[in-house]
Amino acid sequence: MHTISATPPAWPPIVKMYTLGHDFEPAGIHAGGLRYHGMSPLVSALVKGGYIEPRAYPQATCFEAAMMVTRTEGIIPAPETSHAIRAAIDEALAAKATGEKKVILFNFSGHGHFDMAAYDAYLSGALPNHEMPSEELQASLATLPKIEEPVLA
């Protein structure tokens, strides 16, 4: 007879990720669902390895990109997805400008059916762009513990 334990395996107390710290409090803006203080551990590892590069966009330009998809494809993207759409459009425009042939892959992570108030705010011109002041960013980063990278032999 085998016993199945309900006790989960021992997880480390911390998983490495890029973060502004768990005490970070974002501004009270819509931000398309992206108000979390950190980047997922998987995405952080891809950034650290140089496989992908993070980008920051003002939310109005992201909603503009989402509206392009809505008008051409009939799909209402989630605001989180609009950031990936904006980056894909920018990559396509850059490739077009240089004549480079390029395959552009992005993650269309979901629909925006629960975000119609945000779309309404964007379409009525009431969705503000917000840029976090550098001082706030530096103050948040200053609270993070210093973790040394292990030296691999």
Side-chain angles (χ1 to χ4, degrees):
M1 176 176 213
H2 297 288
T3 304
I4 299 174
S5 172
T7 306
W11 297 104
I14 188 169
V15 179
K16 289 178 92 171
M17 67 178 180
Y18 291 104
T19 181
L20 293 172
H22 72 278
D23 292 331
F24 174 71
E25 292 186 31
I29 60 171
H30 179 71
L34 301 175
R35 293 171 42 111
Y36 183 63
H37 66 80
M39 191 185 297
S40 84
L42 176 60
V43 173
S44 293
L46 291 171
V47 169
K48 180 137 180 78
Y51 297 102
I52 62 175
E53 85 182 38
R55 295 187 187 170
Y57 291 104
Q59 66 182 5
T61 61
C62 294
F63 273 85
E64 173 189 37
M67 290 302 300
M68 287 178 172
V69 170
T70 299
R71 290 181 178 118
T72 58
E73 302 296 327
I75 300 167
I76 301 169
E80 297 86 347
T81 303
S82 72
H83 294 260
I85 294 168
R86 175 81 270 154
I89 289 171
D90 287 354
E91 284 293 317
L93 292 172
K96 183 178 180 180
T98 62
E100 179 184 7
K101 291 189 180 212
K102 196 176 209 181
V103 174
I104 300 167
L105 176 69
F106 75 97
N107 182 20
F108 194 107
S109 58
H111 65 74
H113 296 167
F114 300 119
D115 298 288
M116 299 314 289
Y119 275 97
D120 183 49
Y122 169 72
L123 292 169
S124 67
L127 188 71
N129 277 326
H130 173 77
E131 189 168 331
M132 185 166 78
S134 180
E135 302 80 37
E136 280 185 42
L137 176 63
Q138 294 309 316
S140 228
L141 293 174
T143 67
L144 298 177
K146 305 297 180 227
I147 301 173
E148 293 189 31
E149 291 286 325
V151 178
L152 301 176

